[in-house]
Amino acid sequence: MKMGRCKNVVVVAGAGISTASGIPDFRTPGTGLYANLEAYNIPYPEAIFNVDYFSNDPQPFFSLAKVLYPGSHRPNYVHYFIRMLHHKGLLLRVYTQNIDSLEKLCGIPDDKLVEAHGSFATASCHLCYTPYPAEDAKRLIMNGSVPTCTFCTATVKPDVVFFGEDLPQKYFLHTQDFPKADLLLIMGTSLQIEPFASLVNTVRSTVPRLLLNRHAVGPFQRNPLRKADRMELGDLEDTVRQFAEMLGWNDDIMELMKSQEQECIPTLVRGRSAKRQAGSEESDSETDSKCSTSSCLTK
């Protein structure tokens, strides 16, 4: 990247990029979302995102949705590193499994972002797919009510992709993007959910794949690695910060974070003020690596 050889960088991101923002990932033992769902009285953890289970009983997901709805968390350094890739003219696309909208919030343009598992930004009937006003759905869900379709009376949900549902049409841009990529960055993902997990195998065999993660996952668990594969394991935010420093980007990222977050301060202040007025009237880190980040910069 430092030598200007990478001009079409594709990023594959998972829940691990948002843990520094205070959002738990799904699969870390003890702290992950799936390890802490006892209160929702579901037969197995993944049931909370199963469309058939939701059709029968939407309340567990709606209870969880109150926690997951965007608005209470801010993007972190990792998100802004990806934003900086765009700022430098290097980002072809970022494919995210996340439904927290933090990529959008840090300023990554819609045309550079594929939310492969949907988002809370829109809502629709889970049976007939009739659109439903997203803010109305949120208001009802947050108040403990169930939004229902005006056409067929089935339950409405945010357009988060459940197990058993089709992926959004934009996801299929991967057929154009991955063959074009000259560097694949894989960040904060367990690579366990298909078909998303297999995307990393669709770049050309000569293209460098760099895994920045807490653990080795997917094809990076094989020995030996593919010739162009590299990985740096450990705390993701620390690793990405080191990567940025080696590229000479750290100051730019910090300045970008400062300016972007300052733009949000008036909104946050107004929101807190409104709440006060209403009330007066509401796994262990693995730091060993197959290579150092610096050796990847010459790719």
Side-chain angles (χ1 to χ4, degrees), residues 154-165:
T155 305
V156 166
K157 72 173 184 64
D159 288 331
V160 173
V161 178
F162 280 18
F163 296 112
E165 291 190 305

Side-chain angles (χ1 to χ4, degrees), residues 40-115:
Y40 299 104
N41 194 29
I42 52 178
Y44 56 93
E46 290 83 357
I48 206 159
F49 291 112
N50 182 287
V51 69
D52 294 327
Y53 188 87
F54 175 87
S55 186
N56 181 61
D57 182 9
Q59 283 300 346
F61 172 73
F62 285 157
S63 296
L64 179 62
K66 293 179 182 180
V67 179
L68 295 181
Y69 258 109
S72 58
H73 298 91
R74 302 298 306 164
N76 63 62
Y77 192 95
V78 181
H79 297 99
Y80 282 102
F81 174 83
I82 301 172
R83 164 82 184 274
M84 186 56 63
L85 285 171
H86 166 64
H87 184 73
K88 299 287 186 181
L90 303 178
L91 182 67
L92 178 59
R93 207 95 59 194
V94 52
Y95 286 74
T96 181
Q97 294 173 279
N98 298 335
I99 57 176
D100 53 36
S101 297
L102 293 185
E103 295 90 356
K104 282 184 179 178
L105 206 54
C106 81
I108 296 173
D110 282 346
D111 66 333
K112 294 291 182 178
L113 177 64
V114 174
E115 294 172 308

Side-chain angles (χ1 to χ4, degrees), residues 18-254:
S18 294
T19 55
S21 296
I23 302 173
D25 63 16
F26 287 88
R27 300 176 187 277
T28 298
T31 61
L33 183 64
Y34 285 157
N36 293 278
L37 293 177
E38 296 87 352
Y40 299 104
N41 194 29
I42 52 178
Y44 56 93
E46 290 83 357
I48 206 159
F49 291 112
N50 182 287
V51 69
D52 294 327
Y53 188 87
F54 175 87
S55 186
N56 181 61
D57 182 9
Q59 283 300 346
F61 172 73
F62 285 157
S63 296
L64 179 62
K66 293 179 182 180
V67 179
L68 295 181
Y69 258 109
S72 58
H73 298 91
R74 302 298 306 164
N76 63 62
Y77 192 95
V78 181
H79 297 99
Y80 282 102
F81 174 83
I82 301 172
R83 164 82 184 274
M84 186 56 63
L85 285 171
H86 166 64
H87 184 73
K88 299 287 186 181
L90 303 178
L91 182 67
L92 178 59
R93 207 95 59 194
V94 52
Y95 286 74
T96 181
Q97 294 173 279
N98 298 335
I99 57 176
D100 53 36
S101 297
L102 293 185
E103 295 90 356
K104 282 184 179 178
L105 206 54
C106 81
I108 296 173
D110 282 346
D111 66 333
K112 294 291 182 178
L113 177 64
V114 174
E115 294 172 308
H117 293 165
S119 75
F120 286 91
T122 56
S124 60
C125 174
H126 84 285
L127 284 184
C128 73
Y129 305 110
T130 299
Y132 191 93
E135 284 303 314
D136 290 350
K138 178 180 180 180
R139 176 177 50 79
L140 289 168
I141 292 169
M142 298 301 283
N143 290 333
S145 301
V146 176
T148 55
C149 178
T150 55
F151 182 73
C152 74
T153 72
T155 305
V156 166
K157 72 173 184 64
D159 288 331
V160 173
V161 178
F162 280 18
F163 296 112
E165 291 190 305
D166 292 335
L167 296 175
Q169 191 62 36
K170 198 174 181 183
Y171 169 81
F172 297 97
L173 284 172
H174 74 82
T175 60
Q176 305 170 33
D177 290 345
F178 281 72
K180 192 186 299 183
D182 50 28
L183 174 65
L184 180 64
L185 291 181
I186 305 161
M187 311 167 74
T189 175
S190 64
L191 291 182
Q192 291 190 29
I193 302 299
E194 296 291 355
F196 188 91
S198 293
L199 288 178
V200 301
N201 298 319
T202 60
V203 293
R204 290 167 286 129
S205 61
T206 56
V207 170
R209 300 187 299 184
L210 175 58
L211 175 70
L212 305 178
N213 218 37
R214 188 171 290 277
H215 303 286
V217 294
F220 293 86
Q221 294 173 303
R222 300 172 190 154
N223 191 15
L225 294 176
R226 200 164 79 176
K227 184 177 179 180
D229 287 350
R230 301 289 186 271
M231 61 181 175
E232 185 76 19
L233 304 179
D235 180 86
L236 180 60
E237 191 173 34
D238 290 345
T239 302
V240 170
R241 193 179 299 271
Q242 292 169 15
F243 194 11
E245 287 173 349
M246 292 174 185
L247 290 166
W249 293 1
N250 183 61
D251 290 346
D252 290 343
I253 293 173
M254 295 303 294

